[in-house]
């Protein structure tokens, strides 16, 4: 099954428990627009309980070069542009951005594990989309960059929390303020990437990871993923309690209770 959102340049395909979401604007290096984020949000809203893994990709030679250049216009008549956003007032602009963020945040929804398959550039919104996923497989030529501060802006598509979670405060601060690119080798050494492979091996590496993620029983995999996610922020006592409760649920299900 394949579906296409022509306005947002997002294509989805489903094979069993695995949903693949592809940014499909290769001639523009998969540059994103508000329509892209609306399409991504619609995918998240339509997930059913049988989906276990979501793979996010970009067609062509780059994962995503970030925000479409036309949207940097300060002209308030440019649909979806920064100038138009500035006319909404503080509350209106924040609510609009909240909607944009929803296109990213669902990638860490309970019940799924998300994997970004990243080749070439992942810049700005592209880097934040890769960071929104649970796991990342990069090609050797891939690089991630958050240049928003150098443009007078900030990363606002859920990128700061996930980056700090992955690499820690000091590195996250450096990358966000300087906007410098992170190479695939750095990403691997810092824990941003789960694997780095030659470009020709990206599909195989992602397929192998997906197979490993879907191998355990669905209930055990989902409970374990939930525990790992909560461990990032929970205090030890709360995490211990979460582990106990999850194990009791697993034992009950295994016993047929």
């Amino acid at each position: 099954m394949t579906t296409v959102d022509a306005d947002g340049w997002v294509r989805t395909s489903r094979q069993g428990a695995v949903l693949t979401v592809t940014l499909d604007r290769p001639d523009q290096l998969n540059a994103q627009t508000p329509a892209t984020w609306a399409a991504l949000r619609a995918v998240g809203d339509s997930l059913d309980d049988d989906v276990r893994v979501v793979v996010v990709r970009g067609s062509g030679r780059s994962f995503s070069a970030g925000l479409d250049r036309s949207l940097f216009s300060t002209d308030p008549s440019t649909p979806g542009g920064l100038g138009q956003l500035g006319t909404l007032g503080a509350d209106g602009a924040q609510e609009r951005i909240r909607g944009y963020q929803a296109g990213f945040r669902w990638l860490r929804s309970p019940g799924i594990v998300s994997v970004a398959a990243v080749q070439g550039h992942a810049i700005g919104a592209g880097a934040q989309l890769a960071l929104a996923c649970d796991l990342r497989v990069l090609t050797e030529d891939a690089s991630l960059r958050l240049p928003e501060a150098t443009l007078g802006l900030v990363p606002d598509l859920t990128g700061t929390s996930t980056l700090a979670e992955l690499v820690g405060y000091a590195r996250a601060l450096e990358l966000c303020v300087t906007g410098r690119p992170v190479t695939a080798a750095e990403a691997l050494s810092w824990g941003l990437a789960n694997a780095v492979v030659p470009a020709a091996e990206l599909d195989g590496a992602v397929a192998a990871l997906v197979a490993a993620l879907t191998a355990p029983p669905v209930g055990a995999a989902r409970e374990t993923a939930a525990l790992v996610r909560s461990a990032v922020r929970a205090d030890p006592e709360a995490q211990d309690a979460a582990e106990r409760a999850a194990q009791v649920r697993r034992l009950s299900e295994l016993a047929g209770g």
Side-chain angles (χ1 to χ4, degrees), residues 16-182:
V18 182
L19 177 69
T20 299
V21 180
T22 304
L23 302 184
D24 197 15
R25 199 186 182 195
D27 56 328
Q28 299 294 324
L29 301 181
N30 301 313
Q32 300 175 37
T33 69
T36 309
W37 306 328
L40 289 171
R41 180 177 184 174
V43 174
D45 289 343
S46 66
L47 283 182
D48 63 71
D49 193 53
D50 292 331
V51 175
R52 295 181 61 180
V53 175
V54 175
V55 178
V56 180
R57 317 187 63 115
S59 59
R61 60 191 176 92
S62 286
F63 180 74
S64 174
L67 189 67
D68 187 283
R69 288 181 178 275
S70 67
L71 301 179
F72 283 101
S73 171
T74 56
D75 184 347
S77 66
T78 301
L82 298 178
Q84 186 182 72
L85 192 63
T87 68
L88 300 177
D91 291 343
Q94 287 197 41
E95 193 58 33
R96 180 71 60 84
I97 295 170
R98 185 197 303 274
Y100 297 162
Q101 291 170 332
F104 292 66
R105 187 56 76 183
W106 69 270
L107 287 162
R108 294 201 178 190
S109 297
I112 65 167
V113 175
S114 52
V115 179
V118 181
Q119 79 282 7
H121 297 297
I123 302 172
Q128 291 183 82
L129 183 59
L131 289 169
C133 294
D134 294 295
L135 310 174
R136 281 151 295 282
V137 179
L138 274 58
T139 59
E140 292 171 336
D141 68 336
S143 66
L144 286 75
R145 185 180 174 218
L146 294 166
E148 286 84 352
T150 67
L151 301 171
L153 302 168
V154 300
D156 65 345
L157 296 171
T158 76
T160 56
S161 63
T162 51
L163 181 64
E165 194 175 274
L166 289 164
V167 303
Y169 165 79
R171 281 180 171 149
L173 180 63
E174 176 204 350
L175 297 180
C176 288
V177 174
T178 68
R180 78 164 180 86
V182 178

